[in-house]
Structures are given as C-alpha cells and as structure tokens.
Amino acid sequence: MPLDLLPVSAPATCCTPAASPAISEQDAVQLARTLKALADPARLRLLSLIAAQDGAEACVCDLIEPVGLSQPTVSHHLKVLTDAGLVTREKRGVWAWFALVPGALEQVTSHLGAHLTGRPA
Amino acid sequence: MPLDLLPVSAPATCCTPAASPAISEQDAVQLARTLKALADPARLRLLSLIAAQDGAEACVCDLIEPVGLSQPTVSHHLKVLTDAGLVTREKRGVWAWFALVPGALEQVTSHLGAHLTGRPA
C-alpha cells in the first residue's frame, strides 16, 4: 500500500498502538506458573512463616501447628513451593528444613512491577 | 509445670520460634485471591497490554489480536481481572475500555515483599 494511503491517525476511541512492549508470551507463561504456586492462602502463610525465621529457613516441625493443617497437607504445599523454585528442601536428621530461595520472590515482584503497572498519561 | 522444669533452650535442629509475625490468615486469603486472578498467561498479557497504553487504559478491540484469543475468551479474562479489582471497565460507544486500577498491583507486590522475603540471618 502506498504510504500516502495509510491512515494518518487512529480513530479517537479505538486502536491506539501500544506505547511500550508488553510481556512476552514465554515470560507470561513462566510468571503465571510461579504465581499459581503462590496463589494459595496456606502456601502464602508457609512462605511467610519461613521468611520470618532467622536465616529465612524453618523446620517443617515448626510449620505444621501455625498453619493448622495436617503434616501431609503441609508437605504437599511445601512440595509445590519447592517445585516452583521458591524454597529449597534439606533433610537434617529426622526433619526436613525449608529455606527461601534468595531473590526468587523479588524476581516475581520485579516482573509484576516492570510489565504490569501503568504510567501516567 | 514448675518453671525450672521447662526446657531452657530449643533443640539445636528444631523448633526455633518465629522471629517476626507472619501474614495473617485473612490477609493470606485476600492476597491468594488476587494472585489467582493474576496467575494466568493470557491475563498477564492483557494486563501488560493495558499498562503499556497511554493512560494505562485500552479498548477491548485493541486487546483481542495481540493475545490471539477469541473475543469471548478475552472478555472472560477481563471479567476475572475486573472482579479481582485489578482493572475497571467502562463502556464508550460500542466498545468496552479497561483501565488499570491505580495502586492495585503495587499493593500485591508490596504485600509479597513485606511478608514473604527473608532477612539475612
């Protein structure tokens, strides 16, 4: 199409082109996966209990009573968090210990901030 | 139990009490609800497309093609985001426009940062 036939301005109520690049499809899939692991009240409480401990690590034995769930349920939630790369698991004696992965949650919040907060008009 | 029979220190590998308060049950439920609305690749892309526009608002007509989904599917995802308080919806002529709710996403990231990031030991 010759350049002079291209519309010179978009209609006032529609179709203004995006001003800056949106999140890529691949980044969106990855971020959604991590957010899905976070999107559960019990898992949020478990993460915050771990974060509240010195060194941001906690024995599973300290996590069961505060969240008020059975040990298998707590273990399931901790496995989801481990699989999502948000915590690591280490066996010490009879107990498993869980530690926050440094920077993992900061990466989530920085992605959310970078792509999903608006700028003033 | 007499005080002098209470254990004076916790076992070395277990049961250190939490150093600071964890997220409340109510806050965890609320935050999980919002994260669930965010935890979908198409919804993340829609939000980032809206955020990328001037004034952080977009006509639904501009959102369908970039995400490559049908209009009913896009409308469903936008309804989830609206119900979660992340965007507002306004009808202008034949099209619905969606705008980021100022501060909504920042509240999510600040909650995540406040409760879920570890401190150095």
Side-chain angles (χ1 to χ4, degrees), chain B residues 5-116:
Chain B
L5 289 183
L6 286 171
V8 291
S9 67
T13 57
C14 186
C15 306
T16 318
S20 72
I23 193 171
S24 74
E25 204 164 333
Q26 198 179 342
D27 282 355
V29 168
Q30 179 56 48
L31 183 55
R33 196 174 295 147
T34 311
L35 289 170
K36 217 164 272 179
L38 286 171
D40 179 279
R43 291 200 284 276
L44 289 173
R45 298 195 70 211
L46 286 168
L47 269 181
S48 81
L49 286 164
I50 296 170
Q53 300 273 344
D54 278 339
E57 62 169 14
C59 173
V60 67
C61 57
D62 285 333
L63 300 171
I64 293 162
E65 186 271 330
V67 291
L69 299 169
S70 71
Q71 179 162 353
T73 303
V74 169
S75 293
H76 161 74
H77 286 308
L78 288 168
K79 185 174 184 322
V80 174
L81 293 172
T82 308
D83 290 349
L86 293 165
V87 300
T88 55
R89 180 186 185 278
E90 194 195 333
K91 198 82 187 280
R92 296 189 200 160
V94 294
W95 295 110
W97 281 67
F98 292 85
L100 290 196
V101 172
L105 214 47
E106 289 82 352
Q107 208 175 350
V108 173
T109 57
S110 112
H111 261 86
L112 285 174
H115 292 294
L116 306 182

Side-chain angles (χ1 to χ4, degrees), chain A residues 19-76:
Chain A
S20 72
I23 192 170
S24 74
E25 204 163 333
Q26 196 179 342
D27 282 354
V29 168
Q30 179 56 46
L31 184 54
R33 196 174 294 147
T34 311
L35 289 170
K36 218 165 271 178
L38 286 171
D40 179 279
R43 291 200 284 275
L44 287 173
R45 298 195 70 210
L46 287 167
L47 269 182
S48 81
L49 286 163
I50 297 169
Q53 302 271 347
D54 278 340
E57 62 169 15
C59 173
V60 68
C61 57
D62 285 334
L63 299 172
I64 293 162
E65 186 271 330
V67 290
L69 298 169
S70 70
Q71 180 161 355
T73 303
V74 169
S75 292
H76 160 74

Side-chain angles (χ1 to χ4, degrees), chain A:
Chain A
M1 189 194 287
L3 275 178
D4 55 357
L5 288 185
L6 285 171
V8 290
S9 67
T13 56
C14 187
C15 308
T16 318
S20 72
I23 192 170
S24 74
E25 204 163 333
Q26 196 179 342
D27 282 354
V29 168
Q30 179 56 46
L31 184 54
R33 196 174 294 147
T34 311
L35 289 170
K36 218 165 271 178
L38 286 171
D40 179 279
R43 291 200 284 275
L44 287 173
R45 298 195 70 210
L46 287 167
L47 269 182
S48 81
L49 286 163
I50 297 169
Q53 302 271 347
D54 278 340
E57 62 169 15
C59 173
V60 68
C61 57
D62 285 334
L63 299 172
I64 293 162
E65 186 271 330
V67 290
L69 298 169
S70 70
Q71 180 161 355
T73 303
V74 169
S75 292
H76 160 74
H77 285 308
L78 288 168
K79 185 175 185 319
V80 174
L81 292 172
T82 309
D83 291 348
L86 293 165
V87 299
T88 54
R89 180 185 186 279
E90 194 195 334
K91 198 82 184 282
R92 295 189 202 160
V94 294
W95 295 110
W97 281 68
F98 292 85
L100 291 195
V101 172
L105 215 45
E106 289 81 352
Q107 208 176 350
V108 173
T109 58
S110 112
H111 260 87
L112 285 175
H115 291 295
L116 307 182
T117 53
R119 299 159 302 115

